[in-house]
Amino acid sequence: MLASLCLFVLLVVSSSYGGHRQDTLADEELARDRQPSKWGSLWPLPQRVNTFDVSFKLAAASFQIFDGKASSAGPSCNLLQNAYRRYYKYIFGGIKTKWPSQDKWTDFPQLSGLQVLITDPDSECDLYPSVTSDESYELLVVQPFAILKAPKVWGALHGLETFSQLVYEDEFGAKSINWTEIVDFPRFAHRGLLLDSSRHFIPVKVILANLETMAMNKFNVFHWHIVDDPSFPYMSKTFPDLSQKGAYHPYTHVYTPSDVKMIIEFARLRGIRVIPEFDTPGHTQSWGKGQADLLTPCFAGSKPSGSFGPVNPIINSTYDFMSRLFQEVAGVFPDDYVHLGGDEVDFSCWKSNPDIQRFMEQHDFGKNYSKLESFYIQRLLDIVASTKKGYIIWQEVFDNGVKLKADTLIHVWKGTKQQYQNEMANVTASGYQTLLSTPWYLNRIAYGQDWRGHYTADPQDFQGTEAQKKLVIGGEACLWGEYVDATNLTPRLWPRASAVAERLWSAKNVTDVNDAYDRLSSHRCRMVERGIPAEPLFTSHCPHEYKGI
């Protein structure tokens, strides 16, 4: 018996190891075949790049990033001035020192600076980015100084990141950059990243660090899934009991108004929109702890069971509460959109409640509880529309036939590849704009280089007309928080999210996985050098390894 058990264990272990080894062999083959990309370490790859075999040196003591005389955003534009200091530090380490024996570099052509020119009269320096923001830019690296031109400040921010990625150290350790011409703009207007701060609280400094990393990858939307069943960390001024009673801890695990304001401004300075999600009527167990009578009482037979289900959709106080809460949310979060969720509503509690059963009969809903959900959602959408906000909803709201405004944004997240492709076709055929997340759930991890699957998924890969394809405004990578907190969030996210970033920014025909592997490996090392604990793609080393906290 013991011998048989040992043989069984050996077979299981061998089988498991064999599967891992097979994956490893594939990764080894990819690494072995790695060829230096002609694009260097650019990530995401710009739309058009021309590089020439002429290099210039950059001297920390003399190099400057400065406003062009004709720029509509001058020294008073704090957004750009902050960005200039930030990228100077990324390029030189933040210290203006002379090179040792600097005279020996005088025979080499040098680049004296980077001139930034905002060409539109309204630079939007003091505004918030939006879904219609112009993020294009042009970059020319020639002597005596490089020129970065952009219609708005948002394109200039991306151009600064690209310029910093062009700088490299030559064989002598001198900062160098090649003569380069770039014309660049994003393929999609909405390039988002979802973080979940309910299932595990995410400290503010971790959120800020990942906003910084988002800017390095040209993401432009932080989808903040701020509350959910487990906890309600958003501190509401209108309803303070929501966090006082619904957060994991009312003082240590909440986002104060000043925290939220700081996060929104930090994101704005990096060209990133902050879209909050307050998901209802499901995913609201934490809400009920601080707001009496908001949730539906569940019944066991003819008696209350003591448990609660989704938001109670049949009482007026629910809509009075939602109206006041979303008036506050609209004032706190400046973006044009709020995400209203609407996914995964469990009807079992509604079905058990006799008051809801009578309501269903009175409204001729029969036994179709999707109609009750639609009744609630439609009233909620009217409430949010009254705040002058647009709304994003998960696909179930569309699937259940809720009457939606023409400008509603449908967020697709469910199903296999064939299923989500069909969903994208159906949503766009109905005339709605859409976002894709299904293939980019980064909380689903696998042994090996799963970034390749994220990289090869395309949000316009479905059967539809060109007009339908134009209704796809982008997508989002999602990192749900069941098994993620401050200890592992950042390395689990990066550089896997970077693969999604390139898919949403670069041209549709940028699909060479081997070329991407080389550039992404280098980009990952750049993030590590900048203090981001991005996990490795495979066996390798970085010139500047992560030094820890």
Side-chain angles (χ1 to χ4, degrees), residues 98-120:
K98 292 186 177 181
W99 295 341
S101 304
Q102 189 172 354
D103 290 343
K104 73 177 183 179
W105 303 113
T106 56
D107 293 335
F108 292 86
Q110 293 193 26
L111 195 69
S112 61
L114 171 63
Q115 177 183 210
V116 180
L117 183 65
I118 307 301
T119 58
D120 277 8

Side-chain angles (χ1 to χ4, degrees), residues 18-208:
H20 286 175
R21 184 58 183 156
Q22 188 174 10
D23 291 338
T24 303
L25 288 172
D27 290 338
E28 286 178 351
E29 183 177 355
L30 182 61
R32 185 171 58 251
D33 294 339
R34 173 181 176 182
Q35 298 294 324
S37 172
K38 66 178 180 179
W39 311 119
S41 62
L42 288 173
W43 195 279
L45 189 66
Q47 299 291 334
R48 296 205 299 271
V49 184
N50 289 318
T51 59
F52 304 91
D53 193 20
V54 177
S55 65
F56 313 116
K57 306 301 179 187
L58 287 73
S62 58
F63 186 87
Q64 291 184 323
I65 305 175
F66 60 97
D67 301 304
K69 290 183 179 179
S71 177
S72 63
S76 63
C77 179
N78 288 330
L79 180 146
L80 284 184
Q81 300 305 318
N82 288 338
Y84 297 165
R85 289 189 289 270
R86 187 163 67 248
Y87 280 100
Y88 181 92
K89 290 180 181 179
Y90 282 149
I91 294 169
F92 296 108
I95 302 174
K96 283 195 173 186
T97 58
K98 292 186 177 181
W99 295 341
S101 304
Q102 189 172 354
D103 290 343
K104 73 177 183 179
W105 303 113
T106 56
D107 293 335
F108 292 86
Q110 293 193 26
L111 195 69
S112 61
L114 171 63
Q115 177 183 210
V116 180
L117 183 65
I118 307 301
T119 58
D120 277 8
D122 181 7
S123 68
E124 298 188 359
C125 180
D126 297 321
L127 301 182
Y128 290 92
S130 73
V131 70
T132 59
S133 291
D134 189 337
E135 299 177 276
S136 64
Y137 68 93
E138 297 179 10
L139 178 62
L140 176 62
V141 181
V142 291
Q143 281 188 297
F145 42 75
I147 301 172
L148 170 59
K149 295 171 65 174
K152 307 290 186 181
V153 292
W154 319 116
L157 292 173
H158 297 314
L160 287 165
E161 174 62 36
T162 298
F163 180 85
S164 73
Q165 293 183 6
L166 290 170
V167 177
Y168 62 94
E169 291 186 358
D170 67 13
E171 62 270 28
F172 303 107
K175 298 290 184 180
S176 304
I177 191 169
N178 281 20
W179 178 6
T180 306
E181 299 171 350
I182 290 177
V183 176
D184 201 13
F185 51 88
R187 179 182 170 202
F188 293 104
H190 186 119
R191 306 177 307 282
L193 182 65
L194 178 150
L195 296 181
D196 169 13
S197 61
S198 172
R199 291 172 174 86
H200 283 97
F201 181 78
I202 305 174
V204 171
K205 69 176 183 179
V206 176
I207 293 177
L208 298 182

Side-chain angles (χ1 to χ4, degrees), residues 253-478:
H253 287 61
V254 294
Y255 300 106
T256 66
S258 60
D259 290 335
V260 174
K261 186 176 181 180
M262 179 199 307
I263 288 168
I264 292 170
E265 179 62 10
F266 189 93
R268 186 189 78 86
L269 293 174
R270 287 151 184 80
I272 297 171
R273 302 161 57 199
V274 179
I275 298 179
E277 180 180 355
F278 290 84
D279 190 359
T280 68
H283 294 280
T284 49
Q285 290 299 297
S286 67
W287 301 46
K289 296 176 182 179
Q291 183 65 21
D293 302 323
L294 178 65
L295 303 185
T296 305
C298 306
F299 278 68
S302 60
K303 296 182 179 180
S305 66
S307 61
F308 296 88
V311 165
N312 191 335
I314 69 170
I315 55 177
N316 290 331
S317 61
T318 290
Y319 302 102
D320 293 338
F321 166 80
M322 291 296 174
S323 180
R324 294 177 64 195
L325 176 65
F326 279 101
Q327 282 288 346
E328 174 185 324
V329 168
V332 170
F333 292 91
D335 197 79
D336 295 331
Y337 283 86
V338 61
H339 203 301
L340 300 178
D343 62 314
E344 297 181 319
V345 181
D346 184 353
F347 296 152
S348 58
C349 183
W350 282 352
K351 292 178 180 179
S352 75
N353 186 292
D355 292 333
I356 287 185
Q357 292 169 9
R358 284 191 292 272
F359 186 89
M360 295 281 288
E361 293 173 3
Q362 293 167 1
H363 288 76
D364 296 323
F365 289 166
K367 300 296 182 181
N368 188 349
Y369 284 83
S370 290
K371 291 185 178 180
L372 180 60
E373 180 190 15
S374 297
F375 173 86
Y376 167 80
I377 292 289
Q378 284 172 351
R379 290 197 63 177
L380 179 65
L381 297 184
D382 289 341
I383 287 170
V384 174
S386 72
T387 69
K388 309 302 182 184
K389 293 286 188 183
Y391 42 74
I392 308 172
I393 44 90
W394 295 112
Q395 69 180 73
E396 287 97 323
V397 179
F398 168 82
D399 294 341
N400 291 339
V402 175
K403 184 180 179 181
L404 300 170
K405 290 195 308 178
D407 60 350
T408 302
L409 190 49
I410 314 294
H411 198 162
V412 174
W413 71 278
K414 297 175 69 175
T416 64
K417 181 177 181 179
Q418 185 63 55
Q419 289 171 331
Y420 78 69
Q421 288 175 328
N422 291 340
E423 184 77 8
M424 297 288 282
N426 292 336
V427 170
T428 54
S430 299
Y432 293 109
Q433 291 186 323
T434 184
L435 300 169
L436 179 65
S437 279
T438 311
W440 298 321
Y441 266 43
L442 303 185
N443 48 290
R444 298 171 183 154
I445 56 176
Y447 188 78
Q449 298 193 51
D450 59 353
W451 70 270
R452 289 177 287 187
H454 308 320
Y455 188 76
T456 54
D458 193 290
Q460 291 183 330
D461 183 16
F462 61 89
Q463 294 296 318
T465 65
E466 284 305 307
Q468 285 179 254
K469 303 291 179 72
K470 290 180 180 178
L471 290 171
V472 181
I473 66 166
E476 291 185 357
C478 301

